[in-house]
Amino acid sequence: MLESILSGLGSISSIVGLIIYFKSKDATWTIKALLIVITLLTASSSMLAYKNYVYSSAEQVKLRADESLQARKDKAIQEAKLLIEALPSYVNLYDPGGNEGIIYSGITFLEKHQSLFPLSYNLIKDGAVYDIEEAKKDRDSSSYNNILKNSAESMLKVISGLAGPKKYS
């Protein structure tokens, strides 16, 4: 920014010097032409400095946005790791309520981070809601438990995938 200001001041002083020199009586055409060239070069360098400043400012804004996106992704990964630790490590066929809880926890997580994972959120939410609705059509059958178990296992795998690989110590 300082370069742009100094270049602008230099351009203005060149133009003022050119006007003053043109009014003097002992100015030759060679010197006048040389002053015009100097003034044009100063003005063009000022313009280039300003364009460079604008371009670099836009690049910095884009860089900050990229850093912000990465920070949001890192936060989502940490939250996925915490969620995986809080959920049971296996799905029990005979615990349909627990399985629904796993499913709803996963949907809630994905909904919270929908801007980062929009396609995943929509696909998984639609599939999980469909599974739950299908399972509830016949609560007394074994398919009820199997559908919820399969959906809960899928949700655990999705959240585990987002959390990244486990680090064994």
Side-chain angles (χ1 to χ4, degrees):
M1 182 66 177
L2 182 62
E3 295 169 344
S4 297
I5 293 171
L6 292 176
S7 294
L9 290 174
S11 295
I12 292 170
S13 63
S14 293
I15 293 170
V16 169
L18 179 68
I19 291 170
I20 291 171
Y21 194 76
F22 264 98
K23 289 186 177 185
S24 74
K25 295 178 181 167
D26 55 325
T28 63
W29 283 106
T30 308
I31 295 177
K32 287 181 182 180
L34 187 61
L35 281 174
I36 289 173
V37 169
I38 290 172
T39 302
L40 291 174
L41 286 174
T42 306
S44 63
S45 69
S46 174
M47 196 167 62
L48 287 174
Y50 178 73
K51 283 187 177 183
N52 185 36
Y53 168 72
V54 170
Y55 177 75
S56 65
S57 295
E59 286 295 315
Q60 288 176 354
V61 167
K62 184 178 182 285
L63 183 62
R64 276 189 236 119
D66 289 345
E67 288 172 355
S68 173
L69 178 64
Q70 187 59 45
R72 288 178 42 223
K73 285 181 180 179
D74 292 343
K75 183 179 178 190
I77 289 169
Q78 290 303 319
E79 288 180 20
K81 288 178 182 178
L82 291 174
L83 181 59
I84 286 299
E85 289 175 9
L87 292 174
S89 58
Y90 65 94
V91 177
N92 186 345
L93 177 66
Y94 300 105
D95 186 13
N99 295 341
E100 273 190 70
I102 292 170
I103 295 166
Y104 289 135
S105 295
I107 290 173
T108 302
F109 170 80
L110 290 171
E111 184 177 28
K112 180 179 180 183
H113 300 289
Q114 185 176 0
S115 63
L116 295 173
F117 315 111
L119 182 61
S120 298
Y121 168 72
N122 289 325
L123 289 173
I124 293 167
K125 182 191 80 157
D126 292 344
V129 168
Y130 175 79
D131 286 347
I132 291 171
E133 288 173 356
E134 284 298 308
K136 286 185 177 181
K137 286 181 181 176
D138 189 12
R139 286 184 183 258
D140 294 330
S141 73
S142 63
S143 67
Y144 170 73
N145 290 343
N146 283 326
I147 290 172
L148 289 179
K149 177 183 180 282
N150 291 338
S151 186
E153 284 175 343
S154 296
M155 188 62 71
L156 282 176
K157 288 182 179 165
V158 167
I159 303 301
S160 294
L162 293 173
K166 284 186 178 181
K167 293 183 180 174
Y168 301 99
S169 46

PDB file of all heavy atoms in Angstrom, residues 100-124:
ATOM      1  N   GLU A 100     -30.852 -46.876  16.920  1.00  0.00           N
ATOM      2  CA  GLU A 100     -31.450 -45.616  16.444  1.00  0.00           C
ATOM      3  C   GLU A 100     -30.672 -44.426  16.976  1.00  0.00           C
ATOM      4  O   GLU A 100     -30.477 -43.434  16.267  1.00  0.00           O
ATOM      5  CB  GLU A 100     -32.920 -45.502  16.892  1.00  0.00           C
ATOM      6  CG  GLU A 100     -33.886 -46.137  15.954  1.00  0.00           C
ATOM      7  CD  GLU A 100     -35.327 -45.799  16.294  1.00  0.00           C
ATOM      8  OE1 GLU A 100     -35.724 -44.621  16.113  1.00  0.00           O
ATOM      9  OE2 GLU A 100     -36.048 -46.711  16.748  1.00  0.00           O
ATOM     10  N   GLY A 101     -30.200 -44.505  18.206  1.00  0.00           N
ATOM     11  CA  GLY A 101     -29.401 -43.423  18.782  1.00  0.00           C
ATOM     12  C   GLY A 101     -28.112 -43.197  18.003  1.00  0.00           C
ATOM     13  O   GLY A 101     -27.712 -42.051  17.758  1.00  0.00           O
ATOM     14  N   ILE A 102     -27.470 -44.284  17.599  1.00  0.00           N
ATOM     15  CA  ILE A 102     -26.260 -44.162  16.783  1.00  0.00           C
ATOM     16  C   ILE A 102     -26.589 -43.467  15.469  1.00  0.00           C
ATOM     17  O   ILE A 102     -25.869 -42.566  15.017  1.00  0.00           O
ATOM     18  CB  ILE A 102     -25.630 -45.556  16.531  1.00  0.00           C
ATOM     19  CG1 ILE A 102     -25.066 -46.131  17.832  1.00  0.00           C
ATOM     20  CG2 ILE A 102     -24.555 -45.481  15.453  1.00  0.00           C
ATOM     21  CD1 ILE A 102     -24.637 -47.585  17.730  1.00  0.00           C
ATOM     22  N   ILE A 103     -27.682 -43.887  14.864  1.00  0.00           N
ATOM     23  CA  ILE A 103     -28.088 -43.303  13.571  1.00  0.00           C
ATOM     24  C   ILE A 103     -28.370 -41.812  13.729  1.00  0.00           C
ATOM     25  O   ILE A 103     -27.868 -40.984  12.959  1.00  0.00           O
ATOM     26  CB  ILE A 103     -29.323 -44.045  13.015  1.00  0.00           C
ATOM     27  CG1 ILE A 103     -28.963 -45.502  12.697  1.00  0.00           C
ATOM     28  CG2 ILE A 103     -29.874 -43.332  11.786  1.00  0.00           C
ATOM     29  CD1 ILE A 103     -30.160 -46.402  12.470  1.00  0.00           C
ATOM     30  N   TYR A 104     -29.151 -41.460  14.736  1.00  0.00           N
ATOM     31  CA  TYR A 104     -29.504 -40.049  14.924  1.00  0.00           C
ATOM     32  C   TYR A 104     -28.280 -39.211  15.325  1.00  0.00           C
ATOM     33  O   TYR A 104     -28.157 -38.052  14.924  1.00  0.00           O
ATOM     34  CB  TYR A 104     -30.622 -39.895  15.955  1.00  0.00           C
ATOM     35  CG  TYR A 104     -31.964 -40.376  15.442  1.00  0.00           C
ATOM     36  CD1 TYR A 104     -32.789 -41.171  16.228  1.00  0.00           C
ATOM     37  CD2 TYR A 104     -32.413 -40.038  14.178  1.00  0.00           C
ATOM     38  CE1 TYR A 104     -34.013 -41.624  15.770  1.00  0.00           C
ATOM     39  CE2 TYR A 104     -33.640 -40.482  13.704  1.00  0.00           C
ATOM     40  CZ  TYR A 104     -34.439 -41.263  14.505  1.00  0.00           C
ATOM     41  OH  TYR A 104     -35.644 -41.703  14.039  1.00  0.00           O
ATOM     42  N   SER A 105     -27.378 -39.794  16.088  1.00  0.00           N
ATOM     43  CA  SER A 105     -26.143 -39.072  16.443  1.00  0.00           C
ATOM     44  C   SER A 105     -25.326 -38.764  15.195  1.00  0.00           C
ATOM     45  O   SER A 105     -24.792 -37.659  15.034  1.00  0.00           O
ATOM     46  CB  SER A 105     -25.293 -39.897  17.406  1.00  0.00           C
ATOM     47  OG  SER A 105     -25.953 -40.063  18.622  1.00  0.00           O
ATOM     48  N   GLY A 106     -25.222 -39.742  14.317  1.00  0.00           N
ATOM     49  CA  GLY A 106     -24.480 -39.538  13.075  1.00  0.00           C
ATOM     50  C   GLY A 106     -25.128 -38.495  12.181  1.00  0.00           C
ATOM     51  O   GLY A 106     -24.446 -37.637  11.597  1.00  0.00           O
ATOM     52  N   ILE A 107     -26.454 -38.555  12.077  1.00  0.00           N
ATOM     53  CA  ILE A 107     -27.168 -37.563  11.253  1.00  0.00           C
ATOM     54  C   ILE A 107     -26.971 -36.170  11.840  1.00  0.00           C
ATOM     55  O   ILE A 107     -26.735 -35.201  11.106  1.00  0.00           O
ATOM     56  CB  ILE A 107     -28.668 -37.916  11.148  1.00  0.00           C
ATOM     57  CG1 ILE A 107     -28.847 -39.171  10.287  1.00  0.00           C
ATOM     58  CG2 ILE A 107     -29.456 -36.754  10.547  1.00  0.00           C
ATOM     59  CD1 ILE A 107     -30.270 -39.700  10.266  1.00  0.00           C
ATOM     60  N   THR A 108     -27.036 -36.057  13.149  1.00  0.00           N
ATOM     61  CA  THR A 108     -26.846 -34.761  13.807  1.00  0.00           C
ATOM     62  C   THR A 108     -25.448 -34.221  13.547  1.00  0.00           C
ATOM     63  O   THR A 108     -25.265 -33.038  13.246  1.00  0.00           O
ATOM     64  CB  THR A 108     -27.095 -34.887  15.323  1.00  0.00           C
ATOM     65  OG1 THR A 108     -28.418 -35.381  15.524  1.00  0.00           O
ATOM     66  CG2 THR A 108     -26.930 -33.556  16.023  1.00  0.00           C
ATOM     67  N   PHE A 109     -24.448 -35.086  13.638  1.00  0.00           N
ATOM     68  CA  PHE A 109     -23.067 -34.671  13.351  1.00  0.00           C
ATOM     69  C   PHE A 109     -22.953 -34.172  11.912  1.00  0.00           C
ATOM     70  O   PHE A 109     -22.378 -33.115  11.646  1.00  0.00           O
ATOM     71  CB  PHE A 109     -22.101 -35.828  13.596  1.00  0.00           C
ATOM     72  CG  PHE A 109     -20.719 -35.548  13.093  1.00  0.00           C
ATOM     73  CD1 PHE A 109     -19.846 -34.770  13.835  1.00  0.00           C
ATOM     74  CD2 PHE A 109     -20.293 -36.027  11.859  1.00  0.00           C
ATOM     75  CE1 PHE A 109     -18.574 -34.485  13.363  1.00  0.00           C
ATOM     76  CE2 PHE A 109     -19.024 -35.752  11.390  1.00  0.00           C
ATOM     77  CZ  PHE A 109     -18.163 -34.979  12.142  1.00  0.00           C
ATOM     78  N   LEU A 110     -23.469 -34.944  10.980  1.00  0.00           N
ATOM     79  CA  LEU A 110     -23.377 -34.557   9.569  1.00  0.00           C
ATOM     80  C   LEU A 110     -24.172 -33.296   9.273  1.00  0.00           C
ATOM     81  O   LEU A 110     -23.767 -32.472   8.457  1.00  0.00           O
ATOM     82  CB  LEU A 110     -23.839 -35.705   8.673  1.00  0.00           C
ATOM     83  CG  LEU A 110     -22.891 -36.902   8.632  1.00  0.00           C
ATOM     84  CD1 LEU A 110     -23.547 -38.069   7.906  1.00  0.00           C
ATOM     85  CD2 LEU A 110     -21.580 -36.528   7.974  1.00  0.00           C
ATOM     86  N   GLU A 111     -25.294 -33.134   9.955  1.00  0.00           N
ATOM     87  CA  GLU A 111     -26.085 -31.915   9.762  1.00  0.00           C
ATOM     88  C   GLU A 111     -25.322 -30.691  10.265  1.00  0.00           C
ATOM     89  O   GLU A 111     -25.329 -29.636   9.634  1.00  0.00           O
ATOM     90  CB  GLU A 111     -27.424 -32.040  10.492  1.00  0.00           C
ATOM     91  CG  GLU A 111     -28.341 -30.858  10.274  1.00  0.00           C
ATOM     92  CD  GLU A 111     -29.675 -31.045  10.959  1.00  0.00           C
ATOM     93  OE1 GLU A 111     -29.756 -31.755  11.976  1.00  0.00           O
ATOM     94  OE2 GLU A 111     -30.657 -30.452  10.468  1.00  0.00           O
ATOM     95  N   LYS A 112     -24.631 -30.847  11.378  1.00  0.00           N
ATOM     96  CA  LYS A 112     -23.841 -29.745  11.926  1.00  0.00           C
ATOM     97  C   LYS A 112     -22.745 -29.321  10.954  1.00  0.00           C
ATOM     98  O   LYS A 112     -22.423 -28.139  10.833  1.00  0.00           O
ATOM     99  CB  LYS A 112     -23.221 -30.163  13.261  1.00  0.00           C
ATOM    100  CG  LYS A 112     -22.375 -29.092  13.904  1.00  0.00           C
ATOM    101  CD  LYS A 112     -21.825 -29.559  15.229  1.00  0.00           C
ATOM    102  CE  LYS A 112     -20.975 -28.480  15.863  1.00  0.00           C
ATOM    103  NZ  LYS A 112     -20.373 -28.930  17.120  1.00  0.00           N
ATOM    104  N   HIS A 113     -22.186 -30.286  10.244  1.00  0.00           N
ATOM    105  CA  HIS A 113     -21.095 -30.008   9.306  1.00  0.00           C
ATOM    106  C   HIS A 113     -21.553 -30.172   7.851  1.00  0.00           C
ATOM    107  O   HIS A 113     -20.779 -30.558   6.987  1.00  0.00           O
ATOM    108  CB  HIS A 113     -19.909 -30.926   9.612  1.00  0.00           C
ATOM    109  CG  HIS A 113     -19.377 -30.743  10.987  1.00  0.00           C
ATOM    110  ND1 HIS A 113     -18.682 -29.612  11.366  1.00  0.00           N
ATOM    111  CD2 HIS A 113     -19.459 -31.516  12.094  1.00  0.00           C
ATOM    112  CE1 HIS A 113     -18.354 -29.714  12.635  1.00  0.00           C
ATOM    113  NE2 HIS A 113     -18.811 -30.850  13.107  1.00  0.00           N
ATOM    114  N   GLN A 114     -22.808 -29.855   7.624  1.00  0.00           N
ATOM    115  CA  GLN A 114     -23.399 -30.023   6.300  1.00  0.00           C
ATOM    116  C   GLN A 114     -22.672 -29.199   5.240  1.00  0.00           C
ATOM    117  O   GLN A 114     -22.543 -29.634   4.094  1.00  0.00           O
ATOM    118  CB  GLN A 114     -24.879 -29.628   6.350  1.00  0.00           C
ATOM    119  CG  GLN A 114     -25.629 -29.862   5.067  1.00  0.00           C
ATOM    120  CD  GLN A 114     -27.108 -29.544   5.214  1.00  0.00           C
ATOM    121  OE1 GLN A 114     -27.559 -29.148   6.278  1.00  0.00           O
ATOM    122  NE2 GLN A 114     -27.842 -29.723   4.152  1.00  0.00           N
ATOM    123  N   SER A 115     -22.161 -28.031   5.603  1.00  0.00           N
ATOM    124  CA  SER A 115     -21.459 -27.202   4.618  1.00  0.00           C
ATOM    125  C   SER A 115     -20.151 -27.847   4.166  1.00  0.00           C
ATOM    126  O   SER A 115     -19.682 -27.591   3.058  1.00  0.00           O
ATOM    127  CB  SER A 115     -21.185 -25.805   5.184  1.00  0.00           C
ATOM    128  OG  SER A 115     -20.319 -25.895   6.296  1.00  0.00           O
ATOM    129  N   LEU A 116     -19.564 -28.703   4.996  1.00  0.00           N
ATOM    130  CA  LEU A 116     -18.331 -29.400   4.624  1.00  0.00           C
ATOM    131  C   LEU A 116     -18.613 -30.703   3.871  1.00  0.00           C
ATOM    132  O   LEU A 116     -17.840 -31.099   3.007  1.00  0.00           O
ATOM    133  CB  LEU A 116     -17.504 -29.730   5.874  1.00  0.00           C
ATOM    134  CG  LEU A 116     -16.959 -28.552   6.660  1.00  0.00           C
ATOM    135  CD1 LEU A 116     -16.308 -29.028   7.947  1.00  0.00           C
ATOM    136  CD2 LEU A 116     -15.971 -27.766   5.828  1.00  0.00           C
ATOM    137  N   PHE A 117     -19.715 -31.353   4.225  1.00  0.00           N
ATOM    138  CA  PHE A 117     -20.044 -32.657   3.637  1.00  0.00           C
ATOM    139  C   PHE A 117     -21.488 -32.662   3.118  1.00  0.00           C
ATOM    140  O   PHE A 117     -22.316 -33.462   3.566  1.00  0.00           O
ATOM    141  CB  PHE A 117     -19.893 -33.769   4.685  1.00  0.00           C
ATOM    142  CG  PHE A 117     -18.651 -33.686   5.518  1.00  0.00           C
ATOM    143  CD1 PHE A 117     -18.722 -33.372   6.868  1.00  0.00           C
ATOM    144  CD2 PHE A 117     -17.406 -33.915   4.964  1.00  0.00           C
ATOM    145  CE1 PHE A 117     -17.582 -33.301   7.646  1.00  0.00           C
ATOM    146  CE2 PHE A 117     -16.253 -33.839   5.734  1.00  0.00           C
ATOM    147  CZ  PHE A 117     -16.350 -33.532   7.076  1.00  0.00           C
ATOM    148  N   PRO A 118     -21.833 -31.788   2.178  1.00  0.00           N
ATOM    149  CA  PRO A 118     -23.243 -31.688   1.765  1.00  0.00           C
ATOM    150  C   PRO A 118     -23.781 -32.959   1.101  1.00  0.00           C
ATOM    151  O   PRO A 118     -24.886 -33.400   1.411  1.00  0.00           O
ATOM    152  CB  PRO A 118     -23.258 -30.506   0.798  1.00  0.00           C
ATOM    153  CG  PRO A 118     -21.865 -30.367   0.317  1.00  0.00           C
ATOM    154  CD  PRO A 118     -20.986 -30.865   1.425  1.00  0.00           C
ATOM    155  N   LEU A 119     -23.018 -33.553   0.230  1.00  0.00           N
ATOM    156  CA  LEU A 119     -23.485 -34.756  -0.461  1.00  0.00           C
ATOM    157  C   LEU A 119     -23.615 -35.920   0.508  1.00  0.00           C
ATOM    158  O   LEU A 119     -24.622 -36.627   0.516  1.00  0.00           O
ATOM    159  CB  LEU A 119     -22.541 -35.107  -1.607  1.00  0.00           C
ATOM    160  CG  LEU A 119     -22.935 -36.314  -2.452  1.00  0.00           C
ATOM    161  CD1 LEU A 119     -24.287 -36.076  -3.119  1.00  0.00           C
ATOM    162  CD2 LEU A 119     -21.884 -36.596  -3.499  1.00  0.00           C
ATOM    163  N   SER A 120     -22.610 -36.090   1.354  1.00  0.00           N
ATOM    164  CA  SER A 120     -22.651 -37.174   2.343  1.00  0.00           C
ATOM    165  C   SER A 120     -23.861 -37.006   3.258  1.00  0.00           C
ATOM    166  O   SER A 120     -24.566 -37.977   3.544  1.00  0.00           O
ATOM    167  CB  SER A 120     -21.377 -37.185   3.191  1.00  0.00           C
ATOM    168  OG  SER A 120     -20.263 -37.410   2.380  1.00  0.00           O
ATOM    169  N   TYR A 121     -24.089 -35.786   3.709  1.00  0.00           N
ATOM    170  CA  TYR A 121     -25.215 -35.543   4.611  1.00  0.00           C
ATOM    171  C   TYR A 121     -26.531 -35.939   3.954  1.00  0.00           C
ATOM    172  O   TYR A 121     -27.327 -36.676   4.536  1.00  0.00           O
ATOM    173  CB  TYR A 121     -25.249 -34.069   5.040  1.00  0.00           C
ATOM    174  CG  TYR A 121     -26.541 -33.698   5.719  1.00  0.00           C
ATOM    175  CD1 TYR A 121     -26.826 -34.155   7.010  1.00  0.00           C
ATOM    176  CD2 TYR A 121     -27.495 -32.922   5.080  1.00  0.00           C
ATOM    177  CE1 TYR A 121     -28.017 -33.836   7.631  1.00  0.00           C
ATOM    178  CE2 TYR A 121     -28.684 -32.599   5.692  1.00  0.00           C
ATOM    179  CZ  TYR A 121     -28.945 -33.058   6.969  1.00  0.00           C
ATOM    180  OH  TYR A 121     -30.123 -32.757   7.570  1.00  0.00           O
ATOM    181  N   ASN A 122     -26.756 -35.463   2.741  1.00  0.00           N
ATOM    182  CA  ASN A 122     -28.037 -35.737   2.076  1.00  0.00           C
ATOM    183  C   ASN A 122     -28.223 -37.224   1.797  1.00  0.00           C
ATOM    184  O   ASN A 122     -29.306 -37.774   2.045  1.00  0.00           O
ATOM    185  CB  ASN A 122     -28.147 -34.928   0.779  1.00  0.00           C
ATOM    186  CG  ASN A 122     -28.344 -33.452   1.053  1.00  0.00           C
ATOM    187  OD1 ASN A 122     -29.000 -33.077   2.015  1.00  0.00           O
ATOM    188  ND2 ASN A 122     -27.752 -32.615   0.233  1.00  0.00           N
ATOM    189  N   LEU A 123     -27.198 -37.888   1.299  1.00  0.00           N
ATOM    190  CA  LEU A 123     -27.318 -39.318   1.001  1.00  0.00           C
ATOM    191  C   LEU A 123     -27.550 -40.141   2.259  1.00  0.00           C
ATOM    192  O   LEU A 123     -28.430 -41.008   2.298  1.00  0.00           O
ATOM    193  CB  LEU A 123     -26.053 -39.813   0.291  1.00  0.00           C
ATOM    194  CG  LEU A 123     -25.841 -39.347  -1.141  1.00  0.00           C
ATOM    195  CD1 LEU A 123     -24.469 -39.775  -1.637  1.00  0.00           C
ATOM    196  CD2 LEU A 123     -26.915 -39.908  -2.045  1.00  0.00           C
ATOM    197  N   ILE A 124     -26.769 -39.874   3.280  1.00  0.00           N
ATOM    198  CA  ILE A 124     -26.864 -40.674   4.504  1.00  0.00           C
ATOM    199  C   ILE A 124     -28.161 -40.391   5.247  1.00  0.00           C
ATOM    200  O   ILE A 124     -28.816 -41.309   5.738  1.00  0.00           O
ATOM    201  CB  ILE A 124     -25.629 -40.438   5.383  1.00  0.00           C
ATOM    202  CG1 ILE A 124     -24.409 -41.014   4.669  1.00  0.00           C
ATOM    203  CG2 ILE A 124     -25.790 -41.039   6.761  1.00  0.00           C
ATOM    204  CD1 ILE A 124     -23.097 -40.596   5.243  1.00  0.00           C
TER     205      ILE A 124
END
